[in-house]
Amino acid sequence: MRAISWTQKRNSTSYSLVVSRIDLVPPAANVIELFEDACADLGLKAHRGTLSKYPESTHWHITLPRSKGTLEATWWPTNHVLWLEVRNHRSADWMPAAIAKLVEEF
């Protein structure tokens, strides 16, 4: 796991953000379907989109229904990488167990 932090000043107010990235080992094929199935098996809802920063990527906002917090995941087939991200302002108590299960799966 890698933690990234930075501080941004806006209108003389300082904001601090910490992002933890967890790299997963993607399967050789069917990454999107397998990842979404793994989330569903954990009772999580995966909202699919993309990130312009990573061309041809698939990006998810993962939530536990009726709970706070959003876990992010990105699949970038160009480099065959799959990772999870936890942002400090979006973390929640359900995430450590969900992350552990996804790490086991991938």
Side-chain angles (χ1 to χ4, degrees):
M1 182 165 56
R2 168 174 66 173
I4 305 163
S5 64
W6 69 88
T7 301
Q8 177 181 5
K9 289 194 173 193
R10 182 181 293 161
N11 300 333
S12 70
T13 303
S14 179
Y15 299 91
S16 182
L17 176 65
V18 176
V19 178
S20 296
R21 175 175 161 162
I22 301 101
D23 291 307
L24 303 176
V25 179
N30 302 318
V31 175
I32 294 170
E33 295 82 7
L34 292 171
F35 185 79
E36 289 178 350
D37 287 348
C39 289
D41 289 348
L42 295 171
L44 303 173
K45 175 71 176 163
H47 309 271
R48 189 191 313 178
T50 62
L51 288 176
S52 60
K53 182 177 179 180
Y54 302 103
E56 301 177 14
S57 69
T58 301
H59 181 75
W60 295 272
H61 284 183
I62 302 163
T63 58
L64 179 64
R66 295 174 296 284
S67 297
K68 292 183 179 182
T70 301
L71 177 64
E72 296 184 33
T74 304
W75 160 237
W76 193 19
T78 304
N79 289 353
H80 198 76
V81 292
L82 175 65
W83 68 89
L84 302 172
E85 287 184 340
V86 179
R87 299 177 185 275
N88 65 345
H89 66 286
R90 291 182 161 188
S91 63
D93 293 340
W94 59 266
M95 287 183 189
I99 291 168
K101 292 289 188 183
L102 290 169
V103 167
E104 282 178 26
E105 189 78 22
F106 295 94

